[in-house]
Amino acid sequence: MAERAGVSRSVASRALNNAPHVSRAKREAVERAVRQLGYVPNPTARALATRQSGAAALVVSGEDPSIFADPFFAQVIVGASAALEEADLHLMLCLAASDRGRKRVEELLRSRGADGVMLMAVREDDPLARLAEEAQMPVVFGGRPVGWVPRWYVDVDNVGGAREATEHLVSRGRRRVAAICGRLDTEAGRARYRGYRDAMLGAGLDPFPPQEGDFTEPSGAHAMSVLLANHPDVDGVFAANDNMAAGALRTLREAGRQVPADVAVVGFDDLTVARIADPPLTTVHQPIEALGREMARMLVALVNGQDPTPLILPTRLVVRSSA
């Protein structure tokens, strides 16, 4: 019946049960299919269908609500919203780092307050990962957690992107290349450092120990100041995201170092800050909006009873003036 109406099974189910969040056009398409097929709803199926909420939750392990205004998460939200709109599902945003936030998410998972959950920014030993594993609803991870591989996830090629960034620096004649890595209790932070390390060893160069930041501009600025103090001969820097790379550029400018003449810098993400940086930032482009869109599509497939396979999205190097 859903196929005849040209809608997903979840949309057809909500239309049959007069649930909210179904567009007029799709509701009418379902009604036409019912008439054409002589469809009679099964009472048991109807009872199960009414448990659907018409919403999907994007849960981020963070304490600051402004995290959703971060350009990275903003693009994820745009992609996820577009895919969910096609399925007539609303998007709920949830923060879950404090005890109170985790309790709200736990209640959401146990009460089936959403049809499914997209979970992002999970850190090592994060209780959210355990809650998701035990949840009685579909859960899709955006990025893999540290130490284990969930059944359903969408990620980007963090290792390959970081390797390509570092190889680019080496190809420009840089030999003292340092890494400002992201949080090492996240898989993205660890994977991007692995890619950097692989490229350095592959070129016969000694990798620097990881100089950890937290993916913010101030942490990149601080990490760069530490690197200059400990390794004044550094001539190249791979930063694990554009925000930290922008912070590194600021510190280098304040220290009187020319970029790229003295120190070449490469970031990761290809956010707007990379294009407006001074100088414009060479970076690794990751398809952030596609990450959100594919997470939502995978979740919709699960809600509709399918069993999608995990997905790794490709990255590519974007060369600008900083390296």
Side-chain angles (χ1 to χ4, degrees):
M1 190 272 297
E3 184 177 356
R4 172 66 69 90
V7 300
S8 68
R9 281 186 283 178
S10 61
V11 170
S13 177
R14 291 200 300 277
L16 289 169
N17 289 282
N18 295 317
H21 316 309
V22 179
S23 68
R24 179 177 178 179
K26 291 183 178 180
R27 193 181 298 276
E28 290 175 351
V30 171
E31 291 172 353
R32 282 196 302 271
V34 167
R35 290 194 300 270
Q36 292 167 0
L37 297 173
Y39 174 77
V40 178
N42 179 285
T44 303
R46 178 183 290 274
L48 291 171
T50 56
R51 298 180 64 189
Q52 294 186 329
S53 68
L58 175 62
V59 178
V60 177
S61 183
E63 298 177 353
D64 185 357
S66 66
I67 193 171
F68 289 120
D70 180 281
F72 176 87
F73 286 104
Q75 289 187 42
V76 169
I77 291 169
V78 168
S81 296
L84 292 175
E85 185 176 356
E86 293 175 0
D88 277 342
L89 290 172
H90 281 269
L91 177 63
M92 301 166 53
L93 301 178
C94 304
L95 284 174
S98 65
D99 289 341
R100 182 178 179 183
R102 281 192 293 270
K103 185 176 180 180
R104 285 199 303 269
V105 174
E106 185 173 2
E107 291 173 353
L108 175 73
L109 292 170
R110 289 178 174 171
S111 67
R112 296 186 63 89
D115 293 339
V117 169
M118 296 167 286
L119 185 55
M120 297 194 70
V122 176
R123 302 172 186 172
E124 187 175 19
D125 299 325
D126 195 322
L128 280 180
R130 175 186 56 79
L131 292 175
E133 196 173 15
E134 298 172 353
Q136 299 300 309
M137 69 169 65
V139 177
V140 173
F141 283 77
R144 286 160 288 185
V146 174
W148 65 286
V149 179
R151 185 171 180 181
W152 298 295
Y153 65 84
V154 181
D155 206 349
V156 299
D157 185 8
N158 289 302
V159 173
R163 184 189 303 115
E164 186 176 13
T166 308
E167 289 172 347
H168 175 76
L169 287 164
V170 172
S171 74
R172 293 295 193 264
R174 310 300 165 144
R175 295 295 178 266
R176 296 283 294 165
V177 180
I180 300 176
C181 61
R183 295 182 61 114
L184 292 175
D185 60 355
T186 67
E187 179 58 26
R190 293 187 183 189
R192 292 175 192 178
Y193 182 74
R194 286 199 303 272
Y196 154 83
R197 187 174 183 275
D198 289 349
M200 292 292 285
L201 292 174
L205 301 173
D206 293 329
F208 281 52
Q211 186 64 49
E212 187 173 359
D214 63 2
F215 295 112
T216 64
E217 193 271 354
S219 74
H222 174 73
M224 191 71 245
S225 66
V226 173
L227 284 171
L228 288 177
N230 295 337
H231 307 282
D233 58 345
V234 63
D235 63 3
V237 174
F238 165 63
N241 83 336
D242 290 344
N243 291 331
M244 293 191 298
L249 290 177
R250 174 163 63 87
T251 294
L252 288 167
R253 185 166 53 249
E254 293 171 352
R257 302 292 184 95
Q258 297 297 312
V259 178
D262 299 325
V263 183
V265 179
V266 178
F268 199 113
D269 281 341
D270 198 20
L271 299 173
T272 300
V273 66
R275 296 189 289 276
I276 66 174
D278 183 20
L281 186 65
T282 293
T283 187
V284 176
H285 175 87
Q286 64 163 320
I288 304 171
E289 189 172 324
L291 175 67
R293 183 171 61 251
E294 295 302 329
M295 286 169 56
R297 286 177 175 172
M298 186 174 291
L299 187 64
V300 169
L302 289 168
V303 170
N304 289 334
Q306 302 170 34
D307 187 12
T309 57
L311 183 61
I312 302 291
L313 301 175
T315 60
R316 58 181 172 84
L317 187 69
V318 178
V319 179
R320 298 192 179 98
S321 303
S322 69

